[in-house]
Amino acid sequence: MPATGRLADRRGRALRDLRISVTDRCNFRCVYCMPKTVFGRDYAFLERDEMLDFDEITRLARIAAAHGVEKLRLTGGEPLLRRGIEDLIARLAELRTPDGRPLEIALTTNGAALSVKAAALKAAGLTRVTVSLDSLDDEVFRAMNDVGFPIAKVLDGMEAAREAGLGPIKVNMVVKRGMNDHEVLPMARHFHGTPFSLRFIEYMDVGTSNGWSLDEVVPSAEIVEQIHRELPLEPVGELVPGETATRWRYRDGGGEIGVISSVTQTFCGTCNRARISTDGRLFTCLFASEGHDLRALLRGGIDDDELAAAMSAIWGRRDDRYSEVRAGLTPELRGARPKIEMSYIGG
């Protein structure tokens, strides 16, 4: 069955956004994602032949586009660690939607390599970049990435990305109570009046290795109120259906912020995202327990129509809404439920 561009799950949610993890490796050991206690020197990362190659990734992306996907986001791990990432981006930039439009191609990075790669990424066809940045305090930032990486190099990379034209550049800050919640207002002050769009993300129970506790979640409403007291905000309407961030703009014209509230204000009802892991498993939810092995199909000689039918069937069975049901689970049930690590599935 060929792709039709009209794919919907059991709840009527269309597939519009595909996030592709290109590596499970990262040069940071952020405490909420890849803590050293789990991802130490002896951790067994994927071997090269276990990862999807660029031909396989491009093929899946082409079929996803035929199914209605309009945006690709490259994730990891740290995607800039994948050798030849610019070549992959160039291939993806050639893809088109059924009505002939180019896909939006975004990338999420920790920014460590942006200063040397930004221009080449833009030349290859990358549309825009999102940088993960959890603090402007160098001591706090080094503690959170847990490898002693300095904040100045990330800021240099962000400026290089801006100069290369990879905008609008979004800055993602995961807010964890007791660790970096005191940095919310300094971050807002720093990026107010700049071309960078700051987004605050509620600390989530992705995976099982970060020791997540509801007590460590800073609700987005609290973040917005804290900023609003000093830098007055007003709400902004949704730009596109299925947007994860609720947007607020500064009343003085100093730009905007966004808050992603997957714990306190869930948005499962409009979620239009799927994820492909580094080894080719398709996941229909960030909090999924297991994925669907597309790599085996790719390497088993399946043709494009059969692959399109398989992807359609997976999405058609989708009924995920973990964030909506999380509040009804006891801590014991949440802890017992297996979930895939963010470094494997992508953010």
Side-chain angles (χ1 to χ4, degrees):
M1 181 179 67
T4 64
R6 298 185 299 274
L7 202 58
D9 68 6
R10 290 182 178 178
R11 296 179 178 272
R13 298 169 293 188
L15 175 60
R16 291 290 180 264
D17 186 324
L18 181 63
R19 304 186 176 197
I20 304 170
S21 176
V22 297
T23 179
D24 62 334
R25 298 172 185 265
C26 186
N27 49 347
F28 285 8
R29 286 295 176 268
C30 296
V31 293
Y32 59 82
C33 182
M34 295 182 70
K36 283 182 178 177
T37 53
V38 176
F39 298 89
R41 292 182 178 180
D42 297 330
Y43 186 81
F45 290 99
L46 293 170
E47 298 291 341
R48 179 171 294 276
D49 63 353
E50 295 179 288
M51 301 189 300
L52 293 182
D53 63 31
F54 290 173
D55 288 337
E56 292 168 331
I57 292 174
T58 304
R59 187 181 177 197
L60 289 175
R62 184 178 67 249
I63 291 173
H67 272 314
V69 163
E70 299 174 344
K71 175 182 174 183
L72 303 175
R73 177 173 291 278
L74 302 182
T75 66
E78 170 48 47
L80 297 186
L81 293 182
R82 181 71 185 260
R83 184 177 300 176
I85 187 70
E86 297 88 350
D87 179 41
L88 173 62
I89 291 169
R91 298 188 194 195
L92 298 177
E94 295 178 356
L95 302 178
R96 295 293 182 268
T97 64
D99 59 359
R101 291 175 290 116
L103 303 182
E104 178 182 347
I105 305 172
L107 181 145
T108 299
T109 174
N110 60 28
L114 262 183
S115 59
V116 295
K117 283 187 170 283
L121 295 170
K122 176 64 175 179
L126 189 67
T127 309
R128 60 184 180 83
V129 68
T130 296
V131 179
S132 299
L133 182 65
D134 297 321
S135 175
L136 287 169
D137 182 296
D138 196 56
E139 183 177 348
V140 173
F141 182 70
R142 289 172 186 258
M144 291 195 74
N145 67 57
D146 208 18
V147 294
F149 197 87
I151 185 68
K153 290 187 177 180
V154 176
L155 296 176
D156 288 345
M158 291 169 56
E159 182 59 25
R162 186 194 65 78
E163 291 176 356
L166 288 171
I169 297 171
K170 294 179 180 177
V171 182
N172 282 351
M173 177 186 181
V174 174
V175 184
K176 183 178 180 181
R177 194 179 297 281
M179 177 164 283
N180 68 337
D181 52 317
H182 64 286
E183 283 285 288
V184 166
L185 199 50
M187 287 280 284
R189 291 172 183 148
H190 181 85
F191 290 107
H192 174 262
T194 73
F196 303 100
S197 177
L198 181 59
R199 301 196 303 180
F200 299 94
I201 303 175
E202 291 180 343
Y203 177 49
M204 294 181 289
D205 52 332
V206 178
T208 56
S209 64
N210 65 4
W212 183 86
S213 168
L214 185 59
D215 294 338
E216 296 170 323
V217 177
V218 180
S220 291
E222 181 180 323
I223 291 171
V224 170
E225 177 57 30
Q226 182 181 350
I227 297 171
H228 177 72
R229 285 197 294 266
E230 179 172 322
L231 299 166
L233 297 163
E234 59 187 14
V236 181
E238 192 177 63
L239 279 178
V240 293
E243 238 181 353
T244 58
T246 301
R247 298 163 54 233
W248 298 79
R249 62 175 163 240
Y250 295 110
R251 289 180 180 171
D252 64 4
E256 68 172 50
I257 66 166
V259 290
I260 298 177
S261 317
S262 68
V263 177
T264 63
Q265 299 175 40
T266 64
F267 41 82
C268 296
T270 58
C271 180
N272 56 14
R273 292 166 297 284
R275 293 166 173 84
I276 295 178
S277 65
T278 312
D279 58 354
R281 300 185 72 85
L282 177 64
F283 292 84
T284 56
C285 179
L286 179 60
F287 303 96
S289 298
E290 59 184 24
H292 306 269
D293 191 355
L294 299 183
R295 186 186 65 186
L297 299 179
L298 289 166
R299 298 181 182 179
I302 194 171
D303 67 30
D304 281 359
D305 283 350
E306 292 169 326
L307 186 56
M311 294 174 69
S312 176
I314 292 167
W315 188 263
R317 294 192 298 269
R318 178 186 190 236
D319 196 35
D320 302 289
R321 58 185 191 98
Y322 173 75
S323 289
E324 290 182 353
V325 303
R326 178 200 285 112
L329 300 176
T330 64
E332 292 75 20
L333 286 175
R334 285 198 302 266
R337 186 182 187 274
K339 295 190 293 292
I340 303 301
E341 299 297 336
M342 185 181 292
S343 59
Y344 170 77
I345 195 177

